[in-house]
Amino acid sequence: MFDDRADAGRRLAAELDRRDVEADVVLGIPRGALPVARPVADRLDADLDVIVASKLGAPGNPELAIGAAGSDGAVWRNDALIEQLDVSEAYFEREREREADAARTKLERYRGTTDLPALEGRHVVVVDDGVATGATARACLRQVRERDPASVTLAVPVSSPRAADELADEADAVVALETPQSFRAVGQFYRRFPQVSDDEAMDYLE
């Protein structure tokens, strides 16, 4: 159990330091990851920046991810769920375009540009405040991979066991402080888990 995101970030930073994880840049996924990513970047003496993706919601259930789209158009599809729900390609493409546009808009708000930071040849650590399905994290990791980094590590305070296992295919390493079998939602592992506003999240980038 973590007190709040700052506490989770400090504990995650200590674990990454203990493992001698190399980091030239730490990328937080807005908004909730920035309070976690700030102490990680400070501890590892790395630049802090952002990477953005947006999940694609199922028809009639926007919280159920059938995929995710990155700001650069990179996409991950949950093919098993798409088939199970009989989601049409037309619906998926509409959602992909809409959420990719949303991700680009958010990236521009945070960075002042739709360009990602330079990642080629750099050791990259992607941080989130927790992983449930892994849809957004997967789309973010694919954006990083396409930019030829020296290494990419996903670091989170808590993850569902299934997502942690599946995301191992997308990164050189996955560091999750907790992977409880009782996982239902990220917020259940924080004593305080308020929404983080864009303005508050951007303050961590200063």
Side-chain angles (χ1 to χ4, degrees):
M1 180 71 70
F2 306 103
D3 290 336
D4 54 20
R5 289 180 176 89
D7 173 51
R10 289 189 294 270
R11 291 161 64 178
L12 185 60
E15 178 62 17
L16 292 168
D17 193 21
R18 187 187 70 80
R19 296 191 186 197
D20 292 324
V21 171
E22 290 188 76
D24 298 310
V25 59
V26 172
L27 299 178
I29 303 174
R31 298 180 300 258
L34 271 299
V36 181
R38 178 78 267 174
V40 171
D42 290 346
R43 179 78 175 251
L44 301 183
D45 194 26
D47 296 333
L48 177 61
D49 217 307
V50 296
I51 190 160
V52 182
S54 186
K55 69 181 177 182
L56 281 59
N61 188 355
E63 293 305 309
L64 182 61
I66 59 170
S71 61
D72 67 347
V75 67
W76 169 69
R77 298 168 55 101
N78 187 335
D79 287 318
L81 188 57
I82 289 169
E83 182 177 353
Q84 178 184 332
L85 299 177
D86 196 23
V87 177
S88 71
E89 279 301 308
Y91 175 89
F92 185 90
E93 279 303 307
R94 284 197 306 272
E95 286 296 292
R96 184 194 64 77
E97 290 180 11
R98 185 165 69 90
E99 296 305 335
D101 284 344
R104 279 191 292 274
T105 298
K106 180 174 282 191
L107 182 66
E108 186 170 19
R109 180 170 186 182
Y110 277 78
R111 302 199 77 242
T113 175
T114 56
D115 294 330
L116 287 174
L119 302 176
E120 184 177 355
R122 305 179 79 188
H123 297 285
V124 180
V125 176
V126 176
V127 173
D128 206 352
D129 56 7
V131 173
T133 65
T136 302
R138 193 182 294 265
C140 287
L141 290 168
R142 290 189 176 182
Q143 292 181 82
V144 174
R145 277 291 192 208
E146 289 178 1
R147 282 153 180 82
D148 199 23
S151 68
V152 56
T153 299
L154 175 67
V156 296
V158 62
S159 172
S160 70
R162 180 176 179 178
D165 287 343
E166 291 176 348
L167 287 166
D169 294 335
E170 304 284 348
D172 295 305
V174 174
V175 177
L177 298 183
E178 298 183 13
T179 54
Q181 293 297 326
S182 61
F183 186 99
R184 296 187 306 277
V186 171
Q188 80 184 93
F189 300 99
Y190 288 82
R191 292 185 179 89
R192 294 183 298 280
F193 196 64
Q195 291 290 323
V196 177
S197 70
D198 280 324
D199 288 342
E200 181 185 354
M202 285 188 284
D203 283 344
Y204 288 98
L205 295 171
E206 296 298 325

